[in-house]
């Protein structure tokens, strides 16, 4: 008994539509890509109800003749594909228009460059009506109405107008970022929502990112053989709560790729707080045959031939960009903002976000500060009182360049004021110290062992057996990190020494916190891979607080050490470590 039969064409198209055009944003993508493939220089997108009731894409590309116009809504008819291993156009599968036509009411109007008249074709639920003449307007206009009216099951999956609109905007921005030379406009009904003029890539990036100050964007330009990465990376001080400002492209195609996301996360892991996301617009260019775009009908997922190489190339390129600290580049730290602007006194027309005072967007700010400001009362006496560890800080070398200037004094036991030849520098001593200790500990850890200090009286702590097992497993690694303990029996552990930078910390609460982390990670993790997390846990117990009076010498050596430290511009939670105010800006402000 056989029930197998061939599906009718209309049904096949509707099924395909499920993959190619899951929602209005996907329609926007397909239609704009067609316009790009047609060589348009100006593309207008109009949405109604977030694209749910209408999507209109108008271009000034090459247009279609009568025959093309009738053919283009048939499945697998395309003018573009020649070689499936090297795909230079956006479209190639020849199914978007056919699929679309089967699930909505669609009208295509197109005019060849020198034709005297345009033609119009209407399709409804997969059925085309005969061509009609239409008024001439160069290029093509595709109107999609009542998406999914023919497939009510899919209609139900559409989200609110606001959500669909946001998705459409996201797609629109990605397309605009990849094609800075093309003018893009987005309308909602008759209202202009976004309008991007043709121009250079940097200008387009700044336009699309919106309220991100240009000076917080680090340009990327890295090449390795035929691979190239360009774009911008936001400084670690301007992280976001979502990944909305992360854009990845491979050969000009917007992609969603776990390798790229992973590399970005990795490059930033020691620079920003957890649950914060860096700003990044990354354009990867590589030989066409090294990336397969024919993996998913929507083509946002791609397959890289060599994902390992991709990851290492990205991490290398990103780390290089990030290591150019503002000091090395001679650039400014966060900008000086005239007081009137902060107070809103002279605000005119647009308070472009670019003019707003710099925000520290790290949510950890309060959290970290309070963690460090709490006086940590050592339970056991330690060998020496908490100190600034000045002995380990760099010595001041006469005549050496000092980008952070010379210390003039301290304010609120929190900030160091320093003077360079041309600027006033304010250093957050706590954030600076945190970065210094982090980098130093990491290096010492990698090179064999972090300096430790024995507790005068070892501390005995009780833990469950499974926790003790985890501590036992990591004993040598923790020792390398300066934390020394022995397991005394099945229920207790004796802490004998702490890393020097934790002098004065309470071993009980420290071990308790570590025990929680260990339980979360379970057996067999590699400490060096969790270094950032472990350090974050340890550093919450450091006795070094912002409220400490420093001598001029101590301040001076802190500044010199910071200058020699990588990623000196921010602490490991992403807070800036210093602010540089050029005297020229002061003079301008005081009208001198
Ligand atoms: P694909 O883009 O994969 O070729 P589509 O279904 O998106 O498939 O489009 C089918 C064909 O219709 C294209 O190959 C192209 O020849 C033509 N076409 C679609 N949109 C336009 C447009 N805006 N301008 C000119 N030609 C177009
Ligand atoms: Mg297409």
């Amino acid at each position: 008994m056989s029930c197998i039969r061939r599906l009718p064409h209309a049904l096949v198209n509707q099924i395909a539509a499920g993959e190619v055009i899951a929602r209005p944003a996907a329609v926007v993508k397909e239609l704009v890509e067609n316009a790009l493939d047609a060589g348009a220089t100006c593309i207008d997108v109009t949405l109604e109800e977030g694209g749910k009731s209408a999507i209109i894409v108008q271009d000034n590309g090459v247009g279609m003749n009568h025959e093309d116009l009738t053919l283009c809504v048939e499945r697998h008819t395309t003018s573009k594909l020649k070689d499936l291993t090297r795909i230079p156009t956006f479209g190639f599968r020849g199914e978007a228009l056919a699929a679309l036509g089967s699930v909505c009411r669609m009208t295509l109007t197109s005019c060849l460059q020198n034709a005297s008249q345009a033609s119009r074709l209407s399709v409804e639920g997969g059925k085309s009506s005969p061509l009609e003449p239409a008024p001439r307007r160069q290029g093509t206009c595709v109107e999609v109405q009542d998406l999914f009216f023919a497939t009510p099951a899919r209609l139900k999956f559409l989200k609110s107008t606001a959500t669909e609109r946001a998705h459409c905007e996201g797609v629109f921005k990605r397309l605009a970022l990849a094609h800075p030379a093309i003018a893009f406009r987005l309308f909602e009904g008759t209202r202009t929502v976004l309008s991007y003029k043709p121009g250079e890539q940097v200008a387009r990036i700044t336009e699309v990112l919106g309220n991100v100050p240009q000076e917080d964007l680090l340009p990327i330009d890295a090449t390795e053989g035929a691979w190239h990465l360009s774009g911008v990376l936001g400084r670690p001080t301007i992280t976001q709560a979502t990944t909305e400002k992360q854009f990845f492209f491979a050969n000009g195609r917007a992609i969603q790729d776990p390798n790229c996301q992973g590399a970005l996360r990795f490059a930033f892991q020691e620079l920003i707080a957890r649950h914060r996301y860096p700003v990044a617009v990354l354009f990867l260019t590589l030989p066409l045959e090294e990336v397969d775009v024919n993996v998913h009908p929507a083509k946002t997922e791609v397959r890289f031939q060599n994902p390992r190489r991709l990851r290492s190339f990205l991490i290398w390129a990103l780390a290089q960009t990030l290591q150019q600290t503002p000091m090395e580049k001679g650039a400014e730290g966060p900008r000086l903002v005239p007081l009137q602007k902060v107070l809103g006194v002279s605000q005119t027309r647009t308070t472009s976000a670019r003019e707003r005072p710099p925000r520290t967007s790290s949510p950890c700010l309060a959290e970290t500060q309070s963690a460090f400001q709490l006086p940590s009362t050592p339970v056991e006496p330690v060998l020496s009182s908490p100190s600034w560890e000045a002995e380990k800080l760099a010595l001041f070398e006469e005549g050496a360049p000092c980008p952070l200037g010379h210390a003039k004094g301290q304010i609120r036991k929190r900030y160091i004021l320093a003077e360079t030849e041309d600027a006033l520098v304010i250093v957050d001593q706590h954030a600076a110290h945190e970065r210094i200790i982090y980098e130093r500990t990491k290096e010492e850890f990698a090179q064999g062992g972090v300096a430790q200090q024995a507790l005068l009286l070892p501390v005995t702590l009780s833990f469950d057996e499974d926790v003790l097992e985890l501590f036992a497993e990591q004993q040598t690694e923790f020792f390398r990190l300066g934390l020394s303990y022995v397991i005394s029996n099945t229920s207790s552990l004796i802490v004998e020494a702490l890393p020097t930078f934790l002098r004065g910390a309470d071993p009980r609460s420290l071990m308790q916190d570590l025990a929680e982390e260990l339980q979360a990670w379970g057996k067999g993790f590699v400490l060096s891979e969790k270094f950032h997390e472990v350090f974050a846990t340890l550093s919450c117990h450091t006795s070094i607080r912002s409220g400490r009076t420093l001598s001029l010498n101590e301040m001076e050596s802190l500044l010199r050490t910071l200058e020699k430290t990588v990623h000196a511009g921010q602490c490991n939670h992403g807070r800036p470590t210093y602010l540089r105010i050029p005297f020229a800006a002061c003079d301008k402000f005081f009208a001198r």
Side-chain angles (χ1 to χ4, degrees), residues 29-31 33-34 37 80 90-97 299:
K29 174 177 175 290
E30 292 298 331
L31 297 184
E33 286 187 347
N34 280 348
D37 283 341
K80 300 169 192 170
F90 291 103
F92 55 84
R93 299 169 63 110
E95 57 186 5
L97 291 183
K299 308 180 213 90

Side-chain angles (χ1 to χ4, degrees), residues 88-307:
T89 51
F90 291 103
F92 55 84
R93 299 169 63 110
E95 57 186 5
L97 291 183
L100 248 179
S102 71
V103 294
C104 69
R105 294 178 232 278
M106 179 165 77
T107 313
L108 296 108
T109 313
S110 197
C111 181
L112 289 176
Q113 231 154 19
N114 299 317
S116 54
Q117 208 172 32
S119 312
R120 178 172 293 153
L121 177 83
S122 303
V123 189
E124 190 171 320
K127 295 211 166 43
S128 344
S129 50
L131 282 188
E132 293 167 41
R136 196 199 121 85
R137 191 169 164 192
Q138 203 223 302
T140 304
C141 178
V142 183
E143 291 186 54
V144 168
Q145 242 125 29
D146 304 322
L147 187 62
F148 300 135
F149 90 98
T151 47
R154 182 146 288 274
L155 189 62
K156 273 195 266 174
F157 282 98
L158 288 184
K159 299 277 187 306
S160 70
T161 297
T163 305
E164 297 301 341
R165 182 190 298 132
H167 280 284
C168 289
E169 276 184 27
V171 161
F172 181 87
K173 284 180 177 172
R174 284 177 162 73
L175 290 160
L177 275 173
H179 302 93
I182 290 163
F184 280 92
R185 288 186 298 182
L186 178 69
F187 303 92
E188 174 83 32
T190 51
R191 190 172 64 91
T192 312
V193 184
L194 295 167
S195 171
Y196 302 134
K197 284 185 267 320
E200 297 292 315
Q201 189 170 76
V202 198
R204 178 61 57 89
I205 291 175
T206 324
E207 253 183 317
V208 174
L209 288 180
N211 56 359
V212 176
Q214 182 135 30
E215 53 276 22
D216 283 330
L217 298 175
L218 304 167
I220 303 178
D221 182 9
T223 305
E224 192 195 69
W227 291 42
H228 183 67
L229 188 72
S230 64
V232 298
L233 208 52
R235 283 189 202 280
T237 43
I238 53 154
T239 57
Q240 309 284 309
T242 66
T243 53
E244 205 177 285
K245 292 202 159 122
Q246 293 184 354
F247 301 90
F248 303 101
F249 300 87
N251 292 337
R253 203 184 274 281
I255 55 163
Q256 275 170 353
D257 180 64
N259 295 297
C260 297
Q261 279 154 352
L264 186 63
R265 216 175 313 121
F266 188 85
F268 273 86
Q269 70 173 358
E270 299 178 350
L271 304 173
I272 61 179
R274 275 185 247 181
H275 311 303
R276 299 292 295 175
Y277 303 92
V279 173
V281 183
L282 303 179
F283 295 99
L284 181 67
T285 317
L286 71 173
L288 288 177
E289 56 273 15
E290 289 197 47
V291 46
D292 186 359
V293 291
N294 189 24
V295 180
H296 187 268
K299 308 180 213 90
T300 49
E301 280 166 40
V302 294
R303 191 178 292 136
F304 289 96
Q305 221 172 48
N306 192 343

Side-chain angles (χ1 to χ4, degrees), residues 295-531:
V295 180
H296 187 268
K299 308 180 213 90
T300 49
E301 280 166 40
V302 294
R303 191 178 292 136
F304 289 96
Q305 221 172 48
N306 192 343
R308 241 196 227 158
R309 175 170 176 200
L310 170 73
R311 209 176 128 82
S312 68
F313 170 67
L314 287 178
I315 292 175
W316 167 76
L318 298 175
Q320 250 203 347
T321 308
L322 284 169
Q323 271 177 21
Q324 302 164 0
T325 63
M327 266 183 293
E328 285 157 22
K329 287 174 54 200
E332 308 299 333
R335 279 173 338 126
L336 171 69
V337 178
L339 199 57
Q340 296 98 309
K341 280 204 179 124
V342 179
L343 300 177
V345 178
S346 70
Q347 268 176 10
T348 47
R349 197 178 39 87
T350 50
T351 322
S352 120
R354 238 167 272 162
E355 294 168 345
R356 268 179 230 147
R359 265 179 312 138
T360 10
S361 39
S362 168
C364 258
L365 182 63
E367 190 187 303
T368 332
Q369 272 182 347
S370 63
F372 287 96
Q373 278 169 0
L374 283 174
S376 69
T377 35
V379 180
E380 308 298 334
V382 284
L383 279 178
S384 69
S385 60
S387 95
W388 193 250
E389 295 189 275
E391 77 278 6
K392 278 206 161 180
L393 296 174
L395 291 173
F396 171 52
E397 295 160 39
E398 201 77 50
C402 307
L404 288 176
H406 293 297
K408 289 285 150 192
Q410 191 188 19
I411 28 178
R412 309 200 77 185
K413 293 189 189 167
R414 188 182 297 169
Y415 300 111
I416 299 168
L417 285 191
E419 180 187 349
T420 72
E421 279 207 345
D422 59 353
L424 166 69
V425 177
I426 304 174
V427 177
D428 177 331
Q429 68 189 49
H430 171 76
H433 196 237
E434 205 174 39
R435 169 55 68 197
I436 292 171
I437 300 242
Y438 180 84
E439 293 300 336
R440 192 169 67 210
T441 309
K442 197 173 154 191
E443 199 183 317
E444 287 177 352
F445 179 75
Q447 290 185 352
V450 174
Q452 48 178 253
Q453 185 163 42
L455 296 173
L456 254 194
L457 296 174
V459 180
T460 306
L461 302 166
S462 319
F463 285 109
D464 288 346
E465 213 176 317
D466 52 332
V467 175
L468 282 180
E469 251 174 54
L470 293 168
F471 271 120
E473 188 194 78
Q474 298 294 337
Q475 197 170 16
T476 12
E477 286 296 277
F478 272 127
F479 186 81
R480 205 145 72 92
L481 193 60
L483 182 62
S484 168
Y485 54 80
V486 288
I487 314 280
S488 72
N489 52 39
T490 52
S491 65
S492 59
L493 167 154
I494 306 167
V495 187
E496 297 183 325
L498 294 184
T500 327
F501 72 90
L502 286 183
R503 227 183 306 221
D506 171 10
R508 285 172 206 282
S509 63
L510 170 67
M511 295 306 278
Q512 202 57 54
D513 284 1
L514 279 180
E516 276 171 30
E517 297 264 46
L518 288 183
Q519 275 175 301
W521 295 328
K523 279 192 168 184
F525 74 87
V526 182
L527 192 70
S528 58
E529 285 171 10
K530 295 274 183 205
F531 185 86

